[in-house]
Each structure stands twice: as structure tokens, then as C-alpha cells.
Amino acid sequence: MPGKRRSLFRWNRILHRDVGYLCVALTLVYVVSGVAVNHLDDWNPNYVVTREVRRFDPVRVADRETMVGELVTRLDLPAPKGSFRSSPERVELFYEGWSVVADASAGTALVERTRRRFLLFDANTLHLNRPKGAWTWIADGYALLLGFLAVSGIFMLRGRTGFDGRGKWLLLAGLLVPVVFLIAVRLLDAGFPDP
């Protein structure tokens, strides 16, 4: 029996190591993206947004097409892909990846350009499963592999440094973090926002 148990521990270590190597790249994608999307209220993790205020001689309020033509000329802009007039003096011009919001009477325009953040946009796309389809299966497989790593990690070491020793206390502490948090949220009646 001791030889069989030693063999199980050996295979557990081998599989834990190899699955761990397999999961490194995706784990780093999820780590970086997870931190980024946790702070959506602080910044835009997908796009860099630049804003520029430009001034021009005021444009007389007229029909939308006339005002768009005047704004394009005065701001030296290309013809927009679309436009919208939200009030008599406010005209919005839409371009591929950028827009202009002009106050014709005040003679001010806000030019807003967006560009995707390098790598972070793609990491967030994968993390949030926007591609769906085949990526759902890959993400599910990855989740199962992480579950295997968590469980097999419990049996990596034996004795005082393993689960029989301090390991069980660390596992319990890790379990208590979400449990205590959820209890506190429920008791404080803070609730969770609807997704």
C-alpha cells in the first residue's frame, strides 16, 4: 500500500506540474484582465480616449446639413460618416473611431478619439468571453484545469507543511475570505448590484 500511495503522490505532482505549465499563459491573461476590469469605475481598460477642444468662428443655426457642411469647413474635417443634431446649436459628427461634438453658437468643438489598448483590449475580450462559440469551450476547459490545480495542490506536500499540517489552516482561511465577505454584505444589507 505505501508503494501505491507513493505512486499516486508522484503522479499527482507530475500532472500538477504539467497542467500548471499549460495554464500559465491563460492565467496571466486572466490576472491582468481581472485587475483591469475590477477598476472600470477608475479608468477605461479597453480604450485610450483622447479629447481635444477646438475653437472656430460660430456657425449660424440652420438645417442640419448646412450646419454640418459649415462645421466640416471651419474645423477642416473630412466628411463625416454620420451626424446628429441634439439641439438647435449642438451637432455631433461621427467618424470611424472618433467623433466631434460642436456647439455652433459658442464656436467650440470637442474632438474625441478612441484607440484600443495594446493587448489589454484583447485580454479583456477573452476574459469576458465576448467571442462566445469555441472560446466558451476553451474557457470552460481552462476553468476545469484550474479546479484540478486547486485540488491537486492540496496533495502536493505531506507532513507539517502539507495538508495534514498548516495546509488545512491555510485552506480554511482561503475559504473564510468569501464566506465572511458575503455574510458581512448580507448583514449590512449592502446587497450586490444587478449584473
Side-chain angles (χ1 to χ4, degrees):
M1 193 68 163
K4 190 172 185 178
R5 188 171 180 191
R6 198 170 320 138
S7 179
L8 285 173
F9 272 100
R10 181 174 163 267
W11 276 106
N12 184 61
R13 282 195 305 276
I14 290 169
L15 287 171
H16 184 88
R17 178 198 63 212
D18 291 350
V19 169
Y21 286 141
L22 183 64
C23 289
V24 166
L26 268 177
T27 300
L28 292 175
V29 165
Y30 278 81
V31 165
V32 170
S33 175
V35 170
V37 299
N38 279 346
H39 298 277
L40 283 172
D41 291 341
D42 302 322
W43 71 308
N44 185 333
N46 290 313
Y47 296 96
V48 175
V49 180
T50 56
R51 292 176 179 90
E52 171 194 1
V53 175
R54 294 173 65 183
R55 305 225 178 264
F56 57 90
D57 290 331
V59 171
R60 181 180 59 80
V61 173
D63 63 279
R64 183 172 50 96
E65 289 77 22
T66 302
M67 291 178 73
V68 167
E70 282 293 319
L71 290 168
V72 163
T73 301
R74 293 188 191 193
L75 292 166
D76 194 25
L77 298 171
K81 295 200 177 293
S83 64
F84 177 71
R85 187 170 165 189
S86 56
S87 70
E89 64 280 337
R90 183 181 165 109
V91 179
E92 298 176 42
L93 308 174
F94 303 107
Y95 298 90
E96 189 71 39
W98 59 291
S99 64
V100 178
V101 178
D103 184 326
S105 298
T108 60
L110 175 66
V111 180
E112 188 173 273
R113 298 179 189 274
T114 59
R115 68 175 170 79
R116 290 179 177 178
R117 290 191 186 275
F118 179 69
L119 291 180
L120 198 50
F121 177 88
D122 297 314
N124 294 336
T125 295
L126 294 178
H127 189 148
L128 299 172
N129 193 18
R130 288 193 186 114
K132 305 286 186 223
W135 185 253
T136 299
W137 292 101
I138 293 168
D140 288 349
Y142 171 66
L144 291 171
L145 290 175
L146 286 180
F148 168 78
L149 287 173
V151 172
S152 66
I154 293 170
F155 304 105
M156 289 295 291
L157 299 173
R158 293 181 261 180
R160 287 187 2 224
T161 58
F163 184 73
D164 294 338
R166 70 178 183 203
K168 66 179 165 278
W169 302 113
L170 292 170
L171 185 115
L172 182 61
L175 178 65
L176 283 176
V177 170
V179 170
V180 168
F181 181 81
L182 287 172
I183 289 170
V185 167
R186 298 283 188 233
L187 288 176
L188 297 173
D189 198 30
F192 291 108
D194 289 334

